[in-house]
Amino acid sequence: MSSPRTRKLTRPAVAVIPLTVVLALAGCSSSDNDEPSSAGDVTYPTVPFTAPGEGISLGHDDQEIGDTIPEPLHVGSITPIAADRLLGVEGGFGQLELSVNVIDPKTGVAESRITVGPGIWDPVIHGFVGDSAEDPAVLAAEVWRPRGSRGAADFTVSTYSGNLLEPAEVMLPDVARVHSRPGSNAVTSDGKFFVTWDDGLYGIRVVDLEKKEATGALQIVGCGPFTWMVDHELYSVCEDSRELLHVTIGDDGVPKETARSKVLPEDFVSTRKVTWASEAQKALLVSENGDVYVFDFSNGLPQEGVKPIGNAGQDSGRFSENVINADATRLAIAYTDTAIHPDSARGGSLVKIDLSDATTFAPVKSLTLADLGLTDIKSMTFSVDGATFYVLGTGPEVEGSAPQKIVGYNASTGEQVSSVDVSGNVGDVSGLITPEVLR
């Protein structure tokens, strides 16, 4: 019987298009030199893959079928993700496989595509700005489900780079259950550790991406599930005790609780999703009662009482998704068309986004569907440098077709700077992700 690792390595490779990885794989005939096998035995030739040579096309051009059978498998290298790109995720909640498009938000063109296998609640996907094909491009916490009697599911943390046929995989313990809400997991700024809150552990689990192994875990009941990371220092909340939490990830990848600070107000209510301003080392938390907190962890745990900068509640509809830019100068909050909580099955549709100052909560720009030129709102994010605010949604129907659009705004002034149709994708894009800068 094969071990779980053997089983993983034999999983079919992921096909990615265009101009990223292209398969030119032919039939499975055996050579004349194959050793005779007993009845019922089936053997398959091993087909190594190589870089494309002269006359070998990748992606959209046809190429002549050669005399070599089976045909050589040619594979190209991933195009590094540039700092002015966004990631557009096709599909969403609970799907076994999702495709991640690298999109130029100025043209709307999806330039390359990477397919990952989250298979858990909200997808756990991180993208990274890179200089070369060998730099990490996309990391995903994945679940590879069993079929028939093959045994338990395989939980992995996979980093896609290079030719994408050989992702760097770290096998997680069978008991691991990665918490998947946005803000509950992170990659350290040096790219060394993947850190996540674990639903089965009720605590923090650490994966060393360089050593390719799970290195430590720490149970902390009553805290989390947020991973605001400053280098190897993790910050989170403990709602019941009204504390902010500090956990240090050692060089050996073992997490240890360092300190707590009881600075949250008595009426503090936590939430499910949070975001992070990487340059300013500040965290945005919009609580379930609407209070808007911007925590400053640039000097460690705050020692004085923390107060909200405002409240997101409005009579017109319920506040929903939120995001803060890299230097913590602007934040955006989306609103539904009903007062029902957006996580409810009848929570309404997103119809407005308010762009605000991230220090004073003073309004900068209010963007309705009419202002955006969209019929719905799918997702929103800031550019890597935080200077541009982008909204993904569906444009008006034209000749029976409604294109997806990405609309860009100057984050400082709220003035529109771009509006483009999304193209080159296979399925509809449901979410935007800002790639991270590893230092």
Side-chain angles (χ1 to χ4, degrees):
M1 180 179 292
S2 298
S3 66
R5 172 53 59 192
T6 302
R7 207 166 60 237
K8 294 297 296 166
L9 292 176
T10 57
R11 192 174 61 240
V14 175
V16 267
I17 55 174
L19 301 180
T20 308
V21 172
V22 177
L23 305 178
L25 181 61
C28 297
S29 60
S30 58
S31 69
D32 294 334
N33 297 325
D34 284 347
E35 303 226 356
S37 58
S38 61
D41 287 344
V42 180
T43 60
Y44 298 93
T46 298
V47 184
F49 54 84
T50 60
E54 184 178 356
I56 301 300
S57 60
L58 295 178
H60 56 280
D61 295 326
D62 291 333
Q63 66 188 47
E64 183 179 349
I65 298 177
D67 297 329
T68 303
I69 301 295
E71 290 183 70
L73 174 61
H74 298 103
V75 59
S77 296
I78 186 174
T79 302
I81 300 173
D84 60 351
R85 299 305 197 253
L86 298 176
L87 301 182
V89 179
E90 296 178 12
F93 181 85
Q95 291 193 1
L96 295 182
E97 291 189 338
L98 298 174
S99 291
V100 182
N101 296 279
V102 180
I103 299 177
D104 183 347
K106 298 182 181 63
T107 64
V109 175
E111 301 169 329
S112 59
R113 193 164 176 259
I114 302 167
T115 299
V116 300
I120 48 175
W121 302 104
D122 292 326
V124 177
I125 299 172
H126 297 265
F128 309 102
V129 174
D131 295 321
S132 72
E134 301 307 316
D135 291 334
V138 168
L139 176 144
E142 299 178 319
V143 183
W144 297 100
R145 302 291 180 183
R147 293 191 298 271
S149 59
R150 292 197 303 168
D154 290 336
F155 294 82
T156 70
V157 175
S158 303
T159 303
Y160 293 86
S161 62
N163 60 42
L164 294 184
L165 296 181
E166 300 175 308
E169 291 186 339
V170 180
M171 186 76 74
L172 294 178
D174 289 343
V175 296
R177 295 296 183 269
V178 173
H179 192 94
S180 61
R181 295 292 187 183
S184 65
N185 48 81
V187 176
T188 55
S189 58
D190 59 359
K192 181 175 175 58
F193 296 120
F194 171 75
V195 187
T196 182
W197 282 81
D198 187 303
D199 286 339
L201 176 69
Y202 290 99
I204 297 162
R205 191 174 296 279
V206 181
V207 173
D208 190 318
L209 299 173
E210 294 178 355
K211 295 181 179 179
K212 297 182 176 60
E213 62 182 13
T215 53
L218 177 65
Q219 187 177 65
I220 309 178
V221 178
C223 298
F226 310 129
T227 53
W228 296 308
M229 299 297 304
V230 179
D231 298 324
H232 293 178
E233 309 300 320
L234 179 150
Y235 298 95
S236 196
V237 301
C238 303
E239 180 178 15
D240 291 345
S241 61
R242 304 295 188 261
E243 294 171 314
L244 291 175
L245 173 70
H246 179 195
V247 172
T248 297
I249 311 299
D251 291 339
D252 56 359
V254 176
K256 295 182 180 179
E257 183 174 331
T258 303
R260 298 188 185 203
S261 182
K262 192 170 184 177
V263 295
L264 299 175
E266 289 301 315
D267 62 350
F268 173 79
V269 180
S270 195
T271 186
R272 295 184 177 187
K273 305 175 183 179
V274 295
T275 51
W276 175 243
S278 56
E279 289 183 14
Q281 298 175 346
K282 294 182 179 182
L284 172 63
L285 184 152
V286 181
S287 69
E288 295 298 339
N289 63 6
D291 286 338
V292 180
Y293 293 90
V294 178
F295 302 124
D296 186 350
F297 296 115
S298 59
N299 294 309
L301 278 182
Q303 299 302 312
E304 304 294 331
V306 178
K307 296 181 179 180
I309 63 172
N311 189 281
Q314 295 184 7
D315 293 337
S316 59
R318 174 78 184 191
F319 52 90
S320 181
E321 307 300 312
N322 60 80
V323 65
I324 190 170
N325 67 349
D327 60 4
T329 57
R330 293 290 183 268
L331 62 84
I333 300 176
Y335 289 84
T336 68
D337 55 0
T338 75
I340 303 172
H341 194 290
D343 289 331
S344 167
R346 298 184 179 181
S349 301
L350 298 181
V351 294
K352 185 181 73 163
I353 298 172
D354 282 354
L355 186 65
S356 305
D357 186 283
T359 302
T360 64
F361 202 51
V364 175
K365 190 79 170 183
S366 184
L367 301 168
T368 65
L369 289 175
D371 298 324
L372 293 162
L374 302 174
T375 60
D376 64 21
I377 297 170
K378 298 290 187 187
S379 184
M380 60 183 181
T381 196
F382 286 95
S383 58
V384 170
D385 61 7
T388 310
F389 176 63
Y390 291 107
V391 181
L392 168 72
T394 306
E397 184 175 312
V398 178
E399 297 181 353
S401 176
Q404 286 198 294
K405 303 181 75 69
I406 296 178
V407 188
Y409 291 85
N410 182 304
S412 178
T413 65
E415 297 303 313
Q416 184 174 325
V417 295
S418 63
S419 179
V420 296
D421 291 351
V422 178
S423 62
N425 53 310
V426 176
D428 285 344
V429 178
S430 58
L432 296 178
I433 298 175
T434 303
E436 304 163 32
V437 178
L438 299 178
R439 297 175 177 85

